[in-house]
Amino acid sequence: MENQELKGKVGIVTGASRGIGRAVALRLVKEGARVAFIYAKSDDMAQSLLKELKAAGSEGLSFKGDVRHYETCREFVDKVKELFGGLDFLVNNAGITRDRAFMMMEPSEWQEVIDTNLTGYFNMARSAIVTFLKQKSGNIVNISSVSGISGTSRQANYAASKAGIIGLTKALAKEVAGYGIRVNCVAPGYIETDMTASLKEDLKAKFTAAIPKGRFGKPEEVAAVVAFLLNERSNYLTGQVIKVDGGLHTSW
Amino acid sequence: MPDKMQEEILDIVSMVVEKEKKQIPLDAHLIQEVGADSMMALEILAALEKKYRIVIPEEKLKEMTTVNRIIAMAKAARKK
């Protein structure tokens, strides 16, 4: 059992019904935090997560909505503050892929990915920041991707959104550091989630061969780094991008 | 009573913008004429909420342009 190092903290994880977001929500609750999450699609997955969160030690709070809509995000943040009595951290994680060869990519496929992955992060951070500024404390962790650092073919839309998140993180971190607010980025490499499950086997083998640790990462291994960034232990760390990729990408 | 609140709010504004009270005319534009910035407006808002135990929605930030407007806003929020 993890130490209760986030006891008393209240926060939001977006896109928590599956994958990395789900692992993050669970990990944070195990460390004593109360977690609210927003999800777009699966009611069943959200319900089962609420059960898991409860079993892990805390009543969760779920909200169905689309982070592409600013008003939805505002409403969600207000709800969390009302029901949980505050807000200490935000983990922006909700993301989608619409992979396609660039010459075949539709403008709608570009837009959907940018709107969800990048504007969605803005919408949530913007909705939470005034609360953080007023209380002179707060913590934001943005989940980016190694794809946003080194690029991945057939992912021009996704890579652009994930690189944008890094710029957002760095600029905001500088702007609000003086107000006791930290903003950091986690850039996972290949992680075992639904997002990578659909990869063809030969492609998976090729990627695995390129990873120095010789395997895909687990969502829990990303969640552990998010928990560290939300912890007071990392108090002097802000505006950074931490790659969690088994050594895949080592230059900067 | 109204004068007391005016004095208190002027105290808060003076402290946040780091100017003497006599340098802050009640109708002077805080950003354009007094030298405040938008983050100072937020600090004033937070101080008012604490002092008067009121809640001022963040949309009101844009309207906090002069001390007089801030006073009116705080009074309105107090009545609720």
Side-chain angles (χ1 to χ4, degrees), chain A residues 16-33:
Chain A
S17 65
R18 296 182 294 164
I20 291 172
R22 191 178 184 97
V24 169
L26 270 166
R27 168 78 189 220
L28 301 181
V29 162
K30 282 179 187 163
E31 294 203 13

Side-chain angles (χ1 to χ4, degrees), chain A residues 70 74 126-127 129-130 133-134 136 175-176 179, chain B residues 37 39-40 42-43 45-46 49 56 58-59 61:
Chain A
Y70 181 62
R74 280 293 299 269
R126 177 64 185 81
S127 298
I129 200 72
V130 173
L133 286 167
K134 275 203 249 177
K136 292 199 165 65
E175 193 172 321
V176 299
Y179 291 82
Chain B
D37 61 33
M39 295 306 275
M40 288 173 177
L42 184 63
E43 287 192 37
L45 184 147
E49 287 189 332
I56 304 172
E58 87 178 67
E59 285 71 24
L61 273 172

Side-chain angles (χ1 to χ4, degrees), chain A residues 153-191:
Chain A
S153 50
R154 299 171 55 85
Q155 284 200 326
N157 47 4
Y158 185 78
S161 72
K162 292 299 184 180
I165 289 163
I166 292 172
L168 164 70
T169 300
K170 291 180 175 179
L172 185 58
K174 286 185 178 173
E175 193 172 321
V176 299
Y179 291 82
I181 304 165
R182 296 192 291 127
V183 190
N184 287 292
C185 211
V186 173
Y190 293 106
I191 307 296

Side-chain angles (χ1 to χ4, degrees), chain A residues 4-122:
Chain A
Q4 297 277 296
E5 298 204 20
L6 294 174
K7 197 152 186 67
K9 299 281 186 192
V10 171
I12 288 171
V13 180
T14 71
S17 65
R18 296 182 294 164
I20 291 172
R22 191 178 184 97
V24 169
L26 270 166
R27 168 78 189 220
L28 301 181
V29 162
K30 282 179 187 163
E31 294 203 13
R34 279 181 298 161
V35 169
F37 64 91
I38 184 166
Y39 66 101
K41 288 199 198 101
S42 172
D43 294 319
D44 292 347
M45 295 296 279
Q47 282 304 321
S48 73
L49 178 59
L50 282 174
K51 273 187 205 149
E52 283 180 47
L53 292 179
K54 197 172 179 185
S58 166
E59 206 77 50
L61 180 66
S62 71
F63 192 95
K64 188 172 187 176
D66 190 333
V67 294
R68 286 181 293 183
H69 303 132
Y70 181 62
E71 284 309 321
T72 302
C73 296
R74 280 293 299 269
E75 200 186 316
F76 173 47
V77 168
D78 284 345
K79 196 111 206 157
V80 174
K81 281 163 55 187
E82 184 192 321
L83 294 173
F84 277 172
L87 187 67
D88 300 300
F89 65 81
L90 163 67
V91 180
N92 266 322
N93 163 79
I96 58 167
T97 52
R98 295 287 182 270
D99 297 359
R100 200 178 297 282
F102 194 66
M103 59 173 279
M104 304 296 280
M105 192 177 282
E106 297 291 339
S108 63
E109 290 168 329
W110 169 267
Q111 204 61 50
E112 259 184 278
V113 170
I114 298 293
D115 287 352
T116 306
N117 299 10
L118 182 56
T119 308
Y121 280 29
F122 164 82

